[in-house]
Amino acid sequence: MKQTISRVSLLLILSMLLSSSMFSIFAETNIPISANDKGDIEAAIKEASEANGTESSSTSEVVIKSTDKNADGTKTAKIFEYNGENSIVFDEKEFKRANQKEARKALFAFVNSLKESSISADTQQEIMNEIQESDSDVAAMMLPMVFDNTKADIFTAYKWLAPFMSVIRVFFGLGSVVIIIMVISSTIFDLAYIGLPVWRETQDEKSGGKKPFGVSHEALSTVREVEKNLEVYKNAYVMYLKRRATTYIVLSIALLWLIAGEMSGLIGWVLSLASGIV
């Protein structure tokens, strides 16, 4: 009985090993293709096969250099094969054997050719999904191309928002002006608080131990740190500017927004209101 169980266990282990080895041998992904897309697919295969400067102009397969030898002694890897009818075969095992620099070029050329073709966006996405799902390393390599493929969606979104852009420009223009006024006012209060001890004492008395009106936390912490370490000279203004750097970056963005032309939208809106009153 024990011998029978051991034999059965051995057979199960051998079958598992055999199935895993067979899976590794036939590590291929079949991607269905419509007959209407034959011309575009053949063009994409050709672009991929010529991506590394080879003289091959095959429209049915992509063969590139590999890192090890085949059974016939050649150092090549066939990563794509098109049967000319209804499917593409992507061989992820061959892809891993291939020279990764050349494999990347071939894959990029294939995807770029697809994007420039007349193949529908849904079909393109299905082909890319099949290739990505074949292997994690391949998916990581294709990630930049997937992000690059979202540019069309952003352009479409911009077209949808085009009728509302004038309102959006005015909204952000007003926001930029408010930010600039707030930051400049806060900076004036901060510099006065740091550099004028008499005014600082007056403001502290008025606030009753709370933060004085218009003075930022950066200015308060700067003054406190300087007063705690009077024996060591520290430039209060330099300390303040370092702590205020993030705020000034926001101010710079707001200024760039206005310089980029958003002020014209704001001025136009104000003038339209004024013309309505007059």
Side-chain angles (χ1 to χ4, degrees):
M1 183 66 179
K2 290 182 179 179
Q3 291 179 350
T4 303
I5 294 174
S6 62
R7 288 176 181 176
V8 172
S9 301
L10 180 61
L11 287 173
L12 287 172
I13 293 171
L14 289 173
S15 63
M16 290 174 65
L17 291 172
L18 179 61
S19 62
S20 63
S21 62
M22 291 294 289
F23 180 76
S24 62
I25 293 173
F26 300 103
E28 298 178 345
T29 300
N30 285 279
I31 307 170
I33 299 297
S34 171
N36 297 329
D37 298 327
K38 178 180 178 180
D40 290 316
I41 293 298
E42 288 181 340
I45 293 290
K46 183 178 179 181
E47 288 288 335
S49 65
E50 295 177 346
N52 292 289
T54 61
E55 297 180 357
S56 171
S57 58
S58 174
T59 58
S60 61
E61 60 184 20
V62 179
V63 180
I64 58 179
K65 295 178 182 178
S66 65
T67 55
D68 53 5
K69 292 184 179 180
N70 297 320
D72 59 0
T74 59
K75 296 184 69 175
T76 58
K78 185 190 295 183
I79 61 174
F80 278 109
E81 184 174 9
Y82 177 46
N83 63 6
E85 295 180 0
N86 57 6
S87 69
I88 295 176
V89 175
F90 174 72
D91 194 323
E92 51 266 30
K93 183 173 179 290
E94 289 290 283
F95 189 88
K96 287 186 174 182
R97 284 186 57 246
N99 179 289
Q100 289 302 291
K101 183 178 180 180
E102 295 193 1
R104 187 180 293 105
K105 285 184 179 179
L107 187 58
F108 276 34
F110 179 80
V111 173
N112 286 331
S113 182
L114 284 183
K115 291 193 292 184
E116 295 173 0
S117 69
S118 59
I119 298 175
S120 67
D122 290 339
T123 301
Q124 291 183 32
Q125 192 61 51
E126 287 178 9
I127 294 173
M128 293 178 69
N129 286 343
E130 290 287 345
I131 296 174
Q132 288 181 82
E133 291 171 4
S134 66
D135 185 80
S136 59
D137 293 335
V138 177
M141 187 179 295
M142 290 189 67
L143 191 60
M145 290 181 283
V146 174
F147 280 113
D148 184 64
N149 207 28
T150 62
K151 289 180 180 178
D153 293 333
I154 294 173
F155 178 72
T156 302
Y158 180 81
K159 290 196 297 184
W160 289 347
L161 290 173
F164 311 101
M165 287 307 294
S166 58
V167 177
I168 294 173
R169 283 196 296 267
V170 169
F171 175 78
F172 282 108
L174 285 171
S176 299
V177 172
V178 171
I179 291 173
I180 291 170
I181 293 174
M182 289 178 62
V183 172
I184 292 176
S185 300
S186 175
T187 301
I188 292 172
F189 277 106
D190 288 346
L191 294 177
Y193 188 81
I194 294 172
L196 302 174
V198 176
W199 188 81
R200 179 169 66 242
E201 292 176 1
T202 303
Q203 294 302 312
D204 288 339
E205 290 177 1
K206 288 182 179 180
S207 62
K210 299 180 181 179
K211 186 174 76 70
F213 174 77
V215 179
S216 68
H217 290 285
E218 291 85 356
L220 287 173
S221 62
T222 298
V223 170
R224 289 170 184 168
E225 184 171 343
V226 171
E227 290 179 345
K228 285 181 180 179
N229 300 280
L230 294 175
E231 65 279 4
V232 179
Y233 173 76
K234 290 185 178 181
N235 191 312
Y237 293 111
V238 173
M239 293 172 58
Y240 168 74
L241 291 174
K242 287 181 179 179
R243 297 177 182 184
R244 198 71 165 168
T246 303
T247 304
Y248 291 127
I249 290 173
V250 175
L251 176 62
S252 300
I253 294 172
L255 286 172
L256 286 173
W257 188 276
L258 294 180
I259 293 170
E262 301 309 317
M263 180 62 84
S264 61
L266 176 62
I267 293 173
W269 178 70
V270 173
L271 290 176
S272 65
L273 290 179
S275 62
I277 295 173
V278 175

